[in-house]
Amino acid sequence: MSETAKTPADFWFDPLCPWAWMTSRWMLEVEKVRPVEVRWHVMSLAVLNEDKLDEIPEEYREGMLPGGKSWAPVRVCVAAEQQHGSEVLGPLYTALGTRLHNRGERNTRETIVAALEDAGLPVGLVDAAGSDAYDAQLRASHKQGIDLVGQEVGTPVIAVPGSDGEQIAFFGPVVTPAPKGEEAAKLWDGTLMVASIPGFYEIKRTRTKGPRFD
């Protein structure tokens, strides 16, 4: 790889997931301190859990049912990507996540419209929230990430180059608050390091803190 080439990092997110939001803010920081290009993709917790809704806590289950509110943001993101190109996903995700997580706004049509305006996108894209018109593309994007990482994960999924150039995907890293500066760089360097080890799969500990959006 040349000195000017950037390392690709493919990132799959569901806008509703606070932990994916934390990791995505870290990746934006990594872009400032390392030669990295984040490529954004949509995945869906509703799709991931549609065959195991009985295992989902009651407060989340209703939204994940067909046509539930958990489908709305991901459908709008995919519609925006299909109509305006993949380059709009990052700004739209930032607009949605800022409102949903940092500001604590509810997942409503009004919030999605405001996020579309923030991202400079046509507000008519909100109509995709209640439509299955782009569900095939949503499922294809979701499958692309899951096929890389495996079934027993959630969001985010990140894929980086391994030792032989093949993409190595992980769930996470799960971190709060989002590291900045040199800490962001060190976590990125560590991610590339473990991806370079054949047979490496998992490091994990119990979470003792919730996501911090500051």
Side-chain angles (χ1 to χ4, degrees):
M1 182 177 295
S2 71
E3 290 185 1
T4 58
K6 293 186 176 182
T7 301
D10 289 283
F11 191 105
W12 281 264
F13 67 90
D14 184 317
L16 291 180
C17 177
W19 293 105
W21 178 245
M22 290 285 93
T23 309
S24 72
R25 300 310 91 181
W26 161 66
M27 282 307 311
L28 290 184
E29 188 72 12
V30 170
E31 284 189 317
K32 301 175 185 177
V33 295
R34 290 290 187 269
V36 172
E37 178 186 10
V38 182
R39 302 184 297 204
W40 303 99
H41 309 274
V42 182
M43 67 181 294
S44 168
L45 290 173
V47 171
L48 183 70
N49 292 299
E50 62 185 349
D51 294 329
K52 45 188 176 184
L53 287 175
D54 291 344
E55 304 171 18
I56 301 300
E58 186 174 351
E59 62 265 32
Y60 303 116
R61 188 181 308 137
E62 183 176 353
M64 292 188 182
L65 292 172
K69 288 188 174 182
S70 294
W71 289 84
V74 289
R75 282 173 163 173
V76 171
C77 285
V78 171
E81 179 186 29
Q82 293 297 309
Q83 294 186 30
H84 300 279
S86 59
E87 64 272 13
V88 307
L89 275 180
L92 179 54
Y93 181 26
T94 290
L96 282 166
T98 298
R99 289 183 174 276
L100 292 168
H101 303 300
N102 292 63
R103 300 183 187 176
E105 296 180 18
R106 297 179 62 188
N107 174 22
T108 63
R109 183 182 179 91
E110 291 73 22
T111 295
I112 294 174
V113 165
L116 287 166
E117 292 177 331
D118 293 343
L121 289 166
V123 297
L125 286 166
V126 72
D127 292 337
S131 168
D132 62 1
Y134 293 100
D135 281 9
Q137 292 90 336
L138 168 60
R139 290 178 180 277
S141 178
H142 177 91
K143 183 176 185 299
Q144 183 186 20
I146 290 298
D147 283 352
L148 285 171
V149 75
Q151 292 291 327
E152 300 303 317
V153 299
T155 178
V157 169
I158 184 172
V160 301
S163 57
D164 58 0
E166 181 183 2
Q167 278 190 312
I168 303 296
F170 299 110
F171 163 60
V174 176
V175 60
T176 186
K180 298 185 182 301
E182 186 56 27
E183 284 194 345
K186 287 193 295 185
L187 181 55
W188 171 252
D189 294 343
T191 301
L192 291 183
M193 185 273 291
V194 296
S196 73
I197 306 300
F200 174 84
Y201 289 100
E202 183 177 9
I203 293 176
K204 189 172 183 178
R205 64 173 179 163
T206 300
R207 301 177 200 169
T208 58
K209 297 179 181 179
R212 282 177 47 191
F213 302 122
D214 55 315

